[in-house]
Amino acid sequence: MNKEKRHQILTRLRDDNPHPETELEYSSPFELLVAVTLSAQATDVGVNKATRKLFPVANTPQAILDLGHDTLRDYIKTIGLFNSKAANVYKMCQILVDEHNSIVPENREALEALPGVGRKTANVVLNTAFGWLKDNEGRYFLAVDTHIQRLANRTGYAKGKTVEQTEQDIIKKTPNKTEFMFNLHHWFILHGRYVCTARKPKCGSCIIEDLCEFKEKTEG
């Protein structure tokens, strides 16, 4: 795929959704951190159902510690892998209280040092909660999940056998980074979630079908 095609893809996605937002519900960086941590191998809809009950009761690190591990687990038991997630969130809250004055750090390395927080979660928090495009060293905060990896590889926009390889290839090949990179994560994840779906992409109703290099297009 050439640079002009990539530019047109991003332009169309932007024109269709100029101000994309995460579908996770949150009102603070800490709430988003918890929500993204809970979203691993779970749907945003499922996470939102749980956090709508949890956050009114406990939405700070100390409040969750005061709630207790077992009660936290009960609030999120409808989410997949809730046992390990409850343990990670509880440990995360303890570290935030002890080492960060209950404040979510604006640093990828510090975020990734928290239990249950990987590169994708750190990038989401830095980009979405704090509004960072890149750090002082010029490293972009682009969160890549399975939806984005599938979309990038399927369309030919970028390639990568792992999400991190795909992340780096997207960053390398994205034109006009200051124009597009900040919202690229949201455009791609929403398009992958609702249009370029895993089992049967809806090529017939896709606004970038003519630019996509996927050879097995459908009429859906």
Side-chain angles (χ1 to χ4, degrees):
M1 180 175 289
N2 59 38
K3 180 179 179 181
E4 179 57 32
K5 271 190 177 182
R6 292 189 183 92
H7 188 277
Q8 288 185 47
I9 285 173
L10 294 171
T11 299
R12 289 186 193 179
L13 293 175
R14 180 188 61 190
D15 291 347
D16 185 60
N17 189 2
H19 305 290
E21 295 181 352
T22 178
E23 294 185 318
L24 290 170
E25 297 171 0
Y26 73 99
S27 61
S28 69
F30 176 72
E31 287 189 1
L32 182 61
L33 174 61
V34 171
V36 179
T37 301
L38 296 177
S39 71
Q41 299 182 46
T43 66
D44 288 359
V45 172
V47 172
N48 289 337
K49 286 181 179 179
T51 57
R52 283 173 196 159
K53 297 177 180 179
L54 172 64
F55 289 157
V57 176
N59 69 342
T60 66
Q62 188 60 57
I64 285 183
L65 292 178
D66 293 343
L67 196 65
H69 172 271
D70 291 347
T71 305
L72 170 63
R73 185 181 59 191
D74 288 341
Y75 271 103
I76 67 169
K77 64 184 179 182
T78 55
I79 301 173
L81 306 175
F82 69 93
N83 278 312
S84 60
K85 290 177 181 179
N88 283 334
V89 169
Y90 195 79
K91 293 174 185 176
M92 172 203 301
C93 290
Q94 191 67 65
I95 293 172
L96 288 173
V97 169
D98 293 343
E99 300 180 16
H100 299 285
N101 296 316
S102 295
I103 298 172
V104 176
E106 292 187 50
N107 175 279
R108 183 155 59 192
E109 285 73 23
L111 284 168
E112 288 186 36
L114 298 172
V117 178
R119 185 181 183 88
K120 187 205 81 170
T121 297
N123 282 342
V124 170
V125 172
L126 291 164
N127 175 265
T128 303
F130 292 119
W132 285 95
L133 174 63
K134 56 184 177 179
D135 64 16
N136 292 331
E137 297 176 17
R139 298 177 300 173
Y140 286 89
F141 298 126
L142 175 66
V144 174
D145 67 356
T146 53
H147 289 300
I148 295 176
Q149 184 179 26
R150 179 181 68 253
L151 178 69
N153 281 271
R154 179 184 278 169
T155 60
Y157 187 98
K159 298 294 182 182
K161 293 182 179 180
T162 67
V163 290
E164 189 161 346
Q165 288 174 353
T166 303
E167 173 192 331
Q168 295 306 316
D169 205 41
I170 290 174
I171 293 171
K172 177 183 177 181
K173 293 177 177 176
T174 294
N176 300 65
K177 290 180 176 57
T178 54
E179 182 179 359
F180 295 120
M181 189 62 75
F182 185 77
N183 287 317
L184 187 148
H185 161 79
H186 294 302
W187 290 325
F188 276 27
I189 196 171
L190 292 171
H191 198 72
R193 185 175 290 167
Y194 296 111
V195 182
C196 196
T197 50
R199 293 185 179 179
K200 188 178 180 181
K202 301 172 184 176
C203 301
S205 56
C206 175
I207 61 173
I208 61 170
E209 180 185 10
D210 59 313
L211 302 170
C212 170
E213 298 182 354
F214 182 52
K215 295 180 180 179
E216 301 173 18
K217 290 188 170 67
T218 69
E219 296 180 357

